[in-house]
DNA sequence: CTCGCCCATATGTGTAGACATGAGCGCGGC
DNA sequence: GCCGCGCTCATGTCTACACATATGGGCGAG
């Protein structure tokens, strides 16, 4: 912190690692090294930067992990061909999302039932027929105004504690996040028109467009929970960013 | 590990790296080490696995990069509190997306203009006032039925070739993907009601819910292109998957 | 009892060297 | 001319060591 003004340049890399990495990344991202280009051998880079091979190796390893470079034994390391546009979609906890917007988060439990999974919820929720589930319906509020309505199923076979939790104060998403480790999740994003009930809960007109986020969370092969969150179309949008830097 | 049946375990890790990594990952993902838990010191792991500290260090470094672990000097390394659910959203080219559904892809250019960026498009599109742009409006069809309508701006300062391309046969997305390298993209997903023109183009009722995908693509600090794709709410949804193994 | 300095310690970074692995390519044999 | 064996070289993995750096906690001074 000795320095005065750093302008907005976010502190240029100081360690050898970072300098080399930034250098190589720059060459790739600027297009100076096009996809398919063979980058210098580790041996050459080691001479060029005056460091040990291990250091170069570690840097290139990082670039491989970041999906920028591919390595082939005996042949060398090559700049990779970007194949699909993939973006990291960050799906935060609703309470922190709303807090981040500078609004007051509110939560209300609309209904809670213990029942057995059957019929319609099976296909989309991934629940197993005959399995005990907690069924919740709750409302998320921002500055007192309805923000999203959430329908959730929690599999009791995987999370038996959920049967005895009172969700009237804690949102099920937050509770699960803190209590149950998960290994995979699947999201589906769609747009649909608010039905009569959703319209009433969200305080919008029937038929108004809503953003619908469905999420199934797994642990190993078991479905832990299924959630369907319906957002007012005029009040929310998801943002995803992608940059090869990670 | 001399055990008999491996069940479905796909080729257990062979190098020390991979064994240690798989071990630690397993402990974290299974929940044996909960968020906040301090994992053994590098020194301890080095003794436990009978290897050099560099090796352990590299593994933990990888777990940090994967977002599973946080390191604090003097204090140790800790299992991270999953704060946000981040998912990888794969945004394929529309033609391949439709082909993957087994439908025939169709494309129609509705309008094409060369003009100067100004007024309303500036804020959301990231275009610079006074900059020349190509403005396109086109339709994507699946099995002959309207699937999505796309409004696109392409910055001529960055992609001058775009001025002389006839987009009546090639969708701008595909063309850009193959001709212009990009370094970052930003997506916004929302739901909105179809206006009169969109309703006509998509052959749906005015006010029907649509999924709206806005995308800005950058190269360094420059905006290359801005696209706004409007999907029939009843015909499309985005799918994203996440698994911590990456 | 409280505040602040100092040090032990765990991670961060880097070196020099060693052996393993596997693919490209030339050379020799057929 | 063609095929395959084996050499070579670049990456892959790992070790043992060394010094840098930040910080938590203990200890001593006030």
């Amino acid at each position: 912190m000795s320095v005065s003004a750093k302008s907005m340049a976010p502190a240029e890399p100081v360690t050898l690692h970072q300098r080399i990495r930034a250098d190589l990344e720059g060459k790739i991202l600027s297009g100076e090294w096009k996809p398919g280009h063979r980058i210098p051998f580790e041996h050459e880079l080691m001479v060029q930067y005056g460091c040990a091979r291990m250091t170069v190796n570690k840097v290139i390893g990082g670039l491989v992990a970041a999906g920028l470079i591919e390595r082939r034994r005996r042949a060398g390391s090559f700049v990779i061909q970007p194949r699909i546009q993939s973006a990291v979609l960050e799906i935060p906890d609703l309470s922190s999302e709303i807090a981040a917007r500078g609004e007051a988060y509110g939560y209300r439990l609309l209904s809670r039932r213990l029942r057995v999974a059957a019929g319609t919820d099976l296909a989309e929720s991934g629940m197993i027929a005959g399995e005990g589930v907690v069924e919740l319906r709750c409302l998320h509020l921002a500055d007192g105004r309805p923000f999203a309505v959430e329908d959730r199923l929690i599999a009791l076979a995987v999370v038996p504690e959920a049967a005895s939790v009172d969700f009237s104060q804690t949102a099920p998403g937050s509770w699960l996040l803190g209590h149950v480790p998960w290994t995979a999740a699947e999201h589906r994003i769609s747009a649909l028109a608010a039905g009569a009930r959703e319209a009433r809960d969200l305080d919008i007109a029937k038929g108004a467009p809503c953003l619908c986020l469905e999420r199934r969370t797994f642990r190993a092969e078991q479905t832990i929970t299924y959630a369907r969150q319906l957002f007012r179309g005029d009040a929310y949008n998801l943002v995803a960013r992608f940059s090869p830097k990670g």
Side-chain angles (χ1 to χ4, degrees), chain A:
Chain A
M1 283 304 132
S2 49
V3 201
S4 47
K6 266 180 212 156
S7 75
M8 13 191 330
E12 74 177 24
V14 278
T15 72
L16 201 43
H17 260 144
Q18 296 170 322
R19 281 207 314 105
I20 301 178
R21 164 119 192 198
D23 240 43
L24 300 185
E25 253 181 10
K27 292 226 168 82
I28 295 171
L29 295 184
S30 71
E32 184 177 336
W33 288 346
K34 296 203 191 309
H37 176 87
R38 209 213 72 220
I39 75 173
F41 297 126
E42 292 190 0
H43 176 72
E44 297 174 297
L45 289 172
M46 155 187 159
V47 171
Q48 180 179 332
Y49 290 101
C51 65
R53 192 168 74 94
M54 192 65 169
T55 307
V56 170
N57 187 326
K58 213 167 167 182
V59 169
I60 299 189
L63 293 174
V64 169
L68 283 176
I69 277 183
E70 175 199 14
R71 318 184 77 168
R72 288 207 297 272
R73 274 167 185 272
R74 163 75 207 196
S77 303
F78 300 82
V79 177
I80 227 164
Q81 202 87 18
R83 315 184 66 246
I84 42 164
Q85 289 205 25
S86 68
V88 174
L89 181 67
E90 297 187 348
I91 303 178
D93 197 46
L94 278 183
S95 60
S96 41
E97 169 73 9
I98 291 175
R101 296 154 141 243
E103 299 175 326
Y105 174 69
Y107 167 76
R108 221 161 65 213
L109 181 64
L110 299 181
S111 75
R112 174 177 178 280
R113 288 172 56 201
L114 294 180
R115 65 177 179 85
V116 163
T120 53
D121 39 43
L122 294 185
E124 49 187 26
S125 73
M127 295 291 168
I128 299 163
E131 189 180 42
V133 295
V134 183
E135 184 188 50
L136 300 169
R137 186 175 172 81
C138 51
L139 197 63
H140 302 270
L141 307 133
D143 274 350
R145 286 174 300 111
F147 183 75
V149 58
E150 172 176 341
D151 287 286
R152 186 179 285 266
L153 297 176
I154 303 174
L156 286 175
V158 189
V159 197
E161 316 93 278
S164 54
V165 176
D166 175 18
F167 286 105
S168 67
Q169 296 304 315
T170 323
S174 314
W175 185 84
L176 284 165
L177 208 57
H179 285 73
V180 185
W182 52 277
T183 57
E186 196 176 298
H187 300 84
R188 205 167 78 197
I189 304 161
S190 54
L192 47 80
R197 190 165 71 161
E198 287 94 2
R200 181 164 34 78
D201 290 337
L202 287 174
D203 192 23
I204 53 179
K206 182 162 178 290
C210 292
L211 191 66
C212 175
L213 175 61
E214 290 170 280
R215 184 186 320 169
R216 286 171 58 187
T217 309
F218 304 88
R219 175 185 189 165
E221 297 301 311
Q222 296 176 297
T223 296
I224 299 173
T225 182
Y226 166 80
R228 175 173 173 277
Q229 297 174 329
L230 215 64
F231 300 87
R232 295 176 58 135
D234 57 355
Y236 189 62
N237 44 59
L238 286 162
V239 173
R241 264 170 254 282
F242 173 80
S243 83
K245 287 192 177 185

